[in-house]
Amino acid sequence: MWTWYKLLIFFYLTTEIWMEKQFVSRRGMNLQAYSTGNFTDLERTRFKRALYKGHYCRTRGCCEDRNDDCVTHFYEANAMCYCDKFCERENSDCCPDYKFFCQGDNLYQKGCLRDGRHYEEGSVIKENCNDCTCSDQQWRCSQQVCLVRPELIENINTRDYGWTAHNYSQFWGMTLEEGYKFRLGTLPPSPTLLSMNEITVTLPSKIDLPEFFISSYKWPGWTHDPLDQKNCAASWAFSTASVAADRIAIQSNGRYTANLSPQNLISCCVRNRHGCKGGSIDKAWWYLRKRGLVSHACYPLFKDQIFNNNGCDMASRSDGRGKRHATKPCPNNIEKSNRIYQCSPPYRVSSNETEIMKEIIQNGPVQAIMQVHEDFFHYKTGIYRHVNSIKDESEKYRNLRTHAVKLTGNITVALPLVGTPVDCCWPQLPSAS
Ligand SMILES: *[C@@H]1O[C@H](CO)[C@@H](O)[C@H](O)[C@H]1NC(C)=O
Ligand SMILES: *[C@@H]1O[C@H](CO)[C@@H](O)[C@H](O)[C@H]1NC(C)=O
Ligand SMILES: *[C@@H]1O[C@H](CO)[C@@H](O)[C@H](O)[C@H]1NC(C)=O
Ligand SMILES: *[C@@H]1O[C@H](CO)[C@@H](O)[C@H](O)[C@H]1NC(C)=O
């Protein structure tokens, strides 16, 4: 037993040492290859920086025949690559720009490289939200602030801010300005809205507020998932229709569970003439009360908001007894029911976190207007808190806009009604995947 044990240890040690030696000698080989091109330290740093831009053979120079010293660091792949003729084998170990710089007569052909591909002078490629033009063998890029910022995502995800960030592919390529312009769409609360009296929820004095709460568990089938507003800046309509639909289902004890049509609001609420260019929630609530909405199935979202945002395809008339009825069929061939849903007047809940929790638990989801900072577009999970941008650039980013969301539960942290949101509600930005 003993010997076996010792042997094992011994074997283990020798393997380690042997491996270490192997490692050193291989590294030595690489070092040697590297030091033959005799650069000063400064030159070497510059060399590295140039390499990063996809210049390998262009910087190293090309070599004839087989020349194992004709090698350079391929940083992107964490490997070495070659610029000698010998690299053109079946298992090529040529640098990405070998073909372009070392082959044929193209030795100093004009144009630019990107990921090993050659682009003509004047070519334009897109780098996230910026356009890069090849000019004098260099990429020159516009300097717009992008909506998705990989360095911000990394900063958030590697530190403990309490929430995680995500690279939403539908935001990739948009500028921050476009994000504010197309992905939000609620005007700041008007004086009328702000002067509404707060209602205090009366609950049995003994109620334990749960650790977390999810509306769809308490009212299965009665609450509605968020619709994606895409590039239509109408969170005023999306959040209002969704909260109203949930509330109608809950108040009717599940008798009316249809989702309501934000498109009906966008196209027909003439007091919010801007449609997909923003609107106010008080006008939306006014419309719901006075005119009413049909279901989302009856009046679905247009595929392309930008080009279809003109006419209103629904109308209603009062029957004289306080109820309204649609005077047009649904603007699609499938849904037959053009029932009009109306709401009682909205009320305002105090901004006290506990009060909001009670309200949601007792009566259903609420709507909140919040200020949006640039980092919110990356929000995925956790409890959102604004993370400040890099100081010297802050002016570019400090550009707040307002947004309206539906709060459905899970409130365990501070949640002022106008301010930071919670980790539950993502009605207008993409439904988190
Ligand atoms: C190193 O630099 C010296 C002086 O600049 C030059 O004469 C020599 O050829 C270089 N050696 C190599 C291997 O490039
Ligand atoms: C983010 O997503 C886009 C689109 O899906 C992708 O092209 C890009 O490489 C991603 N960026 C990062 C840093 O993951
Ligand atoms: C919020 O309301 C609760 C009672 O519902 C009260 O105990 C608490 O102090 C209030 N918090 C603030 C910040 O006003
Ligand atoms: C709600 O919060 C709990 C506890 O923090 C968490 O485990 C859960 O995933 C959250 N649910 C949602 C839908 O965010």
Side-chain angles (χ1 to χ4, degrees):
M1 242 351 212
W2 247 114
T3 9
W4 175 224
Y5 186 56
K6 266 186 180 164
L7 254 178
L8 241 170
I9 288 182
F10 183 65
F11 179 63
Y12 175 68
L13 264 173
T14 35
T15 327
E16 276 284 281
I17 290 161
W18 181 76
M19 272 168 50
E20 179 82 358
K21 255 180 117 174
Q22 275 272 314
F23 185 61
V24 168
S25 72
R26 252 206 267 145
R27 265 226 316 248
M29 249 169 64
N30 279 355
L31 262 175
Q32 229 177 0
Y34 204 53
S35 55
T36 43
N38 85 33
F39 299 103
T40 66
D41 276 350
L42 190 67
E43 275 169 337
R44 205 170 285 153
T45 320
R46 289 192 49 190
F47 184 61
K48 278 190 192 173
R49 281 179 47 198
L51 284 173
Y52 258 110
K53 288 183 183 161
H55 297 190
Y56 311 96
C57 301
R58 174 185 279 185
T59 316
R60 172 65 188 80
C62 308
C63 311
E64 284 301 310
D65 304 324
R66 177 169 184 166
N67 180 351
D68 290 347
D69 290 340
C70 198
V71 64
T72 178
H73 221 286
F74 183 11
Y75 282 92
E76 286 88 334
N78 195 17
M80 308 304 281
C81 65
Y82 293 83
C83 300
D84 62 342
K85 227 178 162 96
F86 185 70
C87 77
E88 307 171 44
R89 290 162 301 157
E90 202 171 318
N91 283 329
S92 161
D93 49 9
C94 301
C95 296
D97 63 345
Y98 173 81
K99 256 197 149 89
F100 176 54
F101 272 101
C102 305
Q103 268 186 345
D105 310 321
N106 301 339
L107 232 51
Y108 283 99
Q109 185 186 323
K110 291 221 160 210
C112 304
L113 283 168
R114 182 66 150 216
D115 301 326
R117 259 192 71 192
H118 173 244
Y119 293 83
E120 303 281 326
E121 281 284 317
S123 303
V124 180
I125 59 168
K126 212 153 168 136
E127 163 113 8
N128 197 351
C129 72
N130 284 301
D131 287 330
C132 299
T133 310
C134 173
S135 152
D136 291 334
Q137 303 185 27
Q138 294 257 326
W139 289 111
R140 290 174 211 282
C141 303
S142 56
Q143 299 293 318
Q144 311 233 56
V145 181
C146 296
L147 188 54
V148 177
R149 299 189 6 240
E151 77 284 2
L152 183 59
I153 297 179
E154 193 178 328
N155 177 22
I156 290 164
N157 288 346
T158 52
R159 288 186 208 176
D160 191 16
Y161 290 116
W163 59 283
T164 59
H166 181 68
N167 172 8
Y168 286 99
S169 57
Q170 59 270 58
F171 293 167
W172 188 259
M174 290 175 83
T175 62
L176 178 60
E177 205 43 51
E178 286 168 341
Y180 282 140
K181 195 168 161 197
F182 297 124
R183 290 285 173 163
L184 307 175
T186 295
L187 301 175
S190 64
T192 342
L193 204 60
L194 288 174
S195 64
M196 275 170 78
N197 282 328
E198 290 173 357
I199 285 189
T200 311
V201 193
T202 45
L203 275 185
S205 54
K206 274 209 167 200
I207 180 173
D208 273 336
L209 290 170
E211 182 68 15
F212 72 92
F213 177 82
I214 296 166
S215 294
S216 59
Y217 289 5
K218 177 162 181 188
W219 298 288
W222 297 358
T223 58
H224 302 84
D225 282 341
L227 295 168
D228 188 348
Q229 73 180 61
K230 303 219 174 74
N231 279 344
C232 171
S235 59
W236 65 271
F238 283 83
S239 61
T240 306
S242 189
V243 169
D246 291 359
R247 289 290 183 124
I248 288 173
I250 291 165
Q251 270 160 28
S252 72
N253 253 316
R255 194 162 161 216
Y256 306 112
T257 57
N259 202 358
L260 299 189
S261 166
Q263 190 65 59
N264 193 170
L265 269 178
I266 294 165
S267 301
C268 305
C269 180
V270 287
R271 289 179 172 213
N272 265 339
R273 273 174 219 288
H274 316 293
C276 280
K277 295 195 190 104
S280 63
I281 62 166
D282 35 342
K283 307 259 169 61
W285 285 109
W286 177 92
Y287 193 87
L288 251 158
R289 186 156 63 97
K290 297 289 190 189
R291 301 277 178 269
L293 294 183
V294 292
S295 69
H296 172 56
C298 173
Y299 203 149
L301 285 174
F302 292 138
K303 276 219 168 62
D304 196 336
Q305 297 288 350
I306 310 300
F307 297 108
N308 288 303
N309 203 11
N310 305 321
C312 169
D313 281 334
M314 188 43 70
S316 65
R317 139 182 106 228
S318 168
D319 64 2
R321 282 169 286 129
K323 263 194 70 60
R324 297 187 76 86
H325 299 277
T327 54
K328 290 183 182 181
C330 294
N332 76 79
N333 298 328
I334 301 157
E335 180 62 35
K336 296 285 170 268
S337 165
N338 59 357
R339 191 196 162 88
I340 294 278
Y341 298 90
Q342 285 173 271
C343 266
S344 49
Y347 53 90
R348 184 170 167 210
V349 187
S350 123
S351 306
N352 177 315
E353 177 198 330
T354 318
E355 298 292 317
I356 300 171
M357 287 164 81
K358 286 185 191 169
E359 171 66 23
I360 295 177
I361 290 166
Q362 191 177 34
N363 297 322
V366 300
Q367 185 180 41
I369 295 183
M370 58 179 277
Q371 290 183 319
V372 172
H373 296 259
E374 75 288 346
D375 56 349
F376 188 63
F377 291 98
H378 303 95
Y379 170 82
K380 183 159 187 202
T381 54
I383 294 158
Y384 172 79
R385 224 170 261 116
H386 172 49
V387 173
N388 276 320
S389 282
I390 320 108
K391 269 221 164 70
D392 56 343
E393 288 188 292
S394 55
E395 269 316 301
K396 277 202 234 174
Y397 306 106
R398 194 174 299 145
N399 203 348
L400 292 175
R401 306 296 164 90
T402 43
H403 188 44
V405 295
K406 178 167 89 168
L407 306 188
T408 60
N410 233 39
I411 303 168
T412 52
V413 281
L415 165 78
L417 199 58
V418 180
T420 43
V422 283
D423 64 345
C424 54
C425 6
W426 197 244
Q428 276 71 57
L429 295 156
S431 9
S433 46

